[in-house]
Amino acid sequence: FFAFSPICQPSGAAWCRVKAALSALDGVLMAEKEAGISAGRVRLTVTWSFGMMTSIDGSVTGPGVFGFQDMVAGVADPQIAYYTPRSTHEALEQAFRTRWTHGLNTQAPWSFVNAMVSKEYARFSPAPWFIGEYGANGQPADIIQADLEAMHKSASESSGFLGAAVFQFQTAHWKGGSEMNFGLFRLGD
């Protein structure tokens, strides 16, 4: 997304995506402060691509988990993304430690997603994670059912994985083109 944006040049997408995420987190914290709202139970997240990328600090390469590490590195040192928080660094760290939920979007089968994330996830614990957009692009009904059942089981048994939100239930027929690949059900199914 940020790789081709003119404002992200010449250094590339990593600092830009992290700066956007830090700015959003910081913006919520400042809005809460200015409105006199306490954090309560509201969790905060960014859902990352499941594309194969390397984290901003170069310490993690992998689908989705690069973004988990981006946030760890960015909150530890916002200047890694050329960002200066409006809130205090302590407030940013506190919100990340107590309110953050890691997230990713994927079209891949659960067995692959789970294998890719679980081998790296211990380093990101105790923050939980979830799939913000589970798409099952091109998967047959039996695979989708097995994925959903396996995700439910993992979320029920795991202290780290929370579950998934489905992206999108019905095919957007009116959009046409590549958009026809999205949706678990088509009209008439």
Side-chain angles (χ1 to χ4, degrees):
F1 179 74
F2 291 110
F4 303 106
S5 174
I7 64 169
C8 295
Q9 301 308 320
S11 300
W15 73 268
C16 212
R17 70 179 182 243
V18 176
K19 185 174 186 176
L22 291 173
S23 177
L25 173 58
D26 190 30
V28 168
L29 298 179
M30 289 306 296
E32 287 176 342
K33 182 178 179 181
E34 289 173 15
I37 298 171
S38 62
R41 297 180 345 157
V42 174
R43 303 288 299 190
L44 305 169
T45 191
V46 168
T47 54
W48 299 98
S49 161
F50 200 62
M52 182 66 75
M53 295 185 209
T54 300
S55 62
I56 191 169
D57 62 359
S59 68
V60 174
T61 298
V65 294
F66 73 89
F68 301 174
Q69 180 60 30
D70 277 353
M71 289 306 295
V72 170
V75 168
D77 179 13
Q79 284 301 310
I80 198 170
Y82 311 110
Y83 186 70
T84 302
R86 291 175 146 204
S87 59
T88 66
H89 188 231
E90 293 76 25
L92 205 64
E93 288 177 318
Q94 172 72 8
F96 185 72
R97 191 172 46 258
T98 61
R99 301 173 66 188
W100 193 256
T101 299
H102 292 294
L104 58 87
N105 298 331
T106 186
Q107 299 288 320
W110 168 247
S111 59
F112 180 70
V113 174
N114 190 32
M116 292 290 99
V117 175
S118 64
K119 71 180 180 183
E120 297 286 344
Y121 203 72
R123 71 174 62 198
F124 305 114
S125 187
W129 73 283
F130 79 113
I131 298 173
E133 291 183 1
Y134 167 73
N137 190 10
Q139 300 297 321
D142 60 327
I143 297 295
I144 295 169
Q145 180 176 346
D147 274 0
L148 294 174
E149 289 171 355
M151 284 187 273
H152 175 74
K153 184 176 187 225
S154 290
S156 298
E157 296 173 351
S158 168
S159 61
F161 179 65
L162 297 176
V166 171
F167 174 77
Q168 60 194 60
F169 284 101
Q170 183 176 317
T171 302
H173 292 277
W174 63 91
K175 291 183 179 179
S178 65
E179 293 293 321
M180 297 293 287
N181 293 329
F182 303 108
L184 294 182
F185 305 103
R186 295 184 182 276
L187 291 176
D189 288 356

